[in-house]
Amino acid sequence: MTDRRKIIDGKALSEKIRGALKVKASAYESANKRKAGLAVILVGEDPASQIYVRNKIKACEEVGIRSFAHYLPKEAKKEDIIGLVETLNADKSVDGLLVQLPLPDKNDENEILKHVSPLKDVDGFHAVNAGNLLLGNACLAACTPSGVIELIKSTGAEISGKHAVVIGRSNIVGKPVAMLLLQENATVTICHSKTENLKEITKTADILVAAVGKKEFVTADMVKDGAIVIDVGMNRDDGKLYGDVKFDEVSEKASFITPVPGGVGPMTITMLLSNTIKAAERGSN
Ligand code: NAP
């Protein structure tokens, strides 16, 4: 039985941060005579995306952010989606703007995302924000990676000087997590599918972030005693959600560990709300 004190409760942390965001949203509204606004574009009817968008809109309402949901049919042309993005870029009541991924035509994603104003890019996917993150400049950082850092910090453990190993190098999770850990002065190793002797590397991690997308990929023999283990994975199998970490055995060795569900997942939308307030406060219009 896992010691409950080891488990990093992403839901509780998320609620705490949302409480603080509510205060900021209200202060923004008083000062600007309007609420901060988040626009979401959903193309098509992917059931998971519909749920994500619904949850984002509900979360906005809860903290006092105005939401604008735009639904386009799955046949919508790339030019029409870009047209809507440009309209929302110019809309002064919109501070944050995101296009829900995946799009029905994945080939269009890169080009459409290029059109989102970097000042409103609350997902942090635009090359300008990704580049500024790399350079260590102020930016809107990707939400899931930002949530990972908050979860690690919530343990009270020092990040500076520690060896952080990230398994995964995607543009939306692995690379930005690694850059954020570097900003926190961790010594960072990024692993991927071509990494040799993966286990030898992960066993040296003080902080291990798993963003692989493979059910229970990280086993106890890959983890150092006392490591902090953050599980980004969301893998569905037979209607059940599994992380990238074999929780039962890894939690015996870790000093802190995130569960799935209830760890990284709840933080992603919270960091989206945080980015929206940040974009509004910085002035994205
Ligand atoms: P992705 O784009 O598929 O990237 C997976 C990464 O894992 C790749 O870099 C891949 O290496 C690496 N990898 C695959 N097999 C490996 C192996 N055997 N050894 C070492 N590395 C290996 O996935 P993603 O978008 O980053 O997402 C990762 C997971 O996080 C997924 O389960 C996803 O559902 C979840 N996720 C959760 C949230 C959340 O809010 N909780 C948000 C986003 C993603 P290569 O680059 O060499 O192929």
Side-chain angles (χ1 to χ4, degrees), residues 27-269:
Y28 181 86
E29 188 179 355
S30 303
N32 295 277
K33 307 289 171 266
R34 70 166 180 88
K35 284 184 159 68
L38 173 68
V40 181
I41 300 175
L42 174 60
V43 186
E45 284 159 14
D46 176 62
S49 294
Q50 285 176 326
I51 295 171
Y52 290 137
V53 167
R54 216 179 301 137
N55 289 342
K56 287 171 188 177
I57 288 166
K58 191 165 157 256
C60 280
E61 278 163 17
E62 281 166 12
V63 300
I65 293 173
R66 189 173 171 201
S67 60
F68 307 87
H70 294 269
Y71 301 99
L72 297 180
K74 69 173 188 305
E75 301 76 23
K77 292 199 177 66
K78 183 170 70 180
E79 294 70 30
D80 298 331
I81 305 169
I82 291 172
L84 179 55
V85 166
E86 298 289 9
T87 302
L88 295 169
N89 281 341
D91 186 335
K92 293 198 181 318
S93 51
V94 171
D95 301 285
L97 165 59
L98 71 88
V99 181
Q100 184 66 43
L101 301 182
L103 288 173
D105 188 346
K106 278 188 83 68
N107 296 325
D108 289 347
E109 287 180 359
N110 270 340
E111 182 161 0
I112 289 169
L113 291 182
K114 270 190 214 162
H115 287 265
V116 174
S117 160
L119 294 171
K120 298 193 178 192
D121 168 41
V122 282
D123 264 341
F125 292 163
H126 195 286
V128 167
N129 281 311
N132 277 326
L133 179 64
L134 182 74
L135 296 175
N137 296 336
C139 65
L140 292 167
C143 300
T144 301
S146 302
V148 168
I149 300 297
E150 292 298 327
L151 287 160
I152 299 169
K153 285 185 174 171
S154 75
T155 66
E158 188 71 59
I159 301 179
S160 179
K162 296 290 183 300
H163 184 206
V165 174
V166 180
I167 317 177
R169 59 171 165 181
S170 71
N171 290 336
I172 61 166
V173 189
K175 283 182 199 161
V177 162
M179 287 307 119
L180 288 168
L181 285 162
L182 191 60
Q183 259 175 32
E184 297 293 333
N185 297 315
T187 302
V188 184
T189 304
I190 305 175
C191 301
H192 47 79
S193 68
K194 307 288 187 293
T195 297
E196 292 180 0
N197 304 322
L198 179 69
K199 196 207 289 188
E200 298 315 312
I201 299 169
T202 58
K203 269 165 68 179
T204 66
D206 303 305
I207 298 167
L208 181 61
V209 180
V212 195
K214 291 195 168 148
K215 175 185 164 187
E216 299 182 332
F217 178 84
V218 175
T219 44
D221 59 335
M222 297 170 73
V223 177
K224 177 174 158 178
D225 270 320
I228 296 175
V229 179
I230 306 293
D231 187 351
V232 183
M234 285 196 338
N235 310 294
R236 280 186 202 282
D237 188 9
D238 227 358
K240 210 179 151 214
L241 194 61
Y242 294 86
D244 286 347
V245 175
K246 203 161 190 180
F247 182 88
D248 287 345
E249 58 180 58
V250 173
S251 61
E252 295 295 320
K253 289 182 99 176
S255 59
F256 291 101
I257 183 165
T258 57
V260 176
V264 174
M267 291 297 290
T268 298
I269 292 185

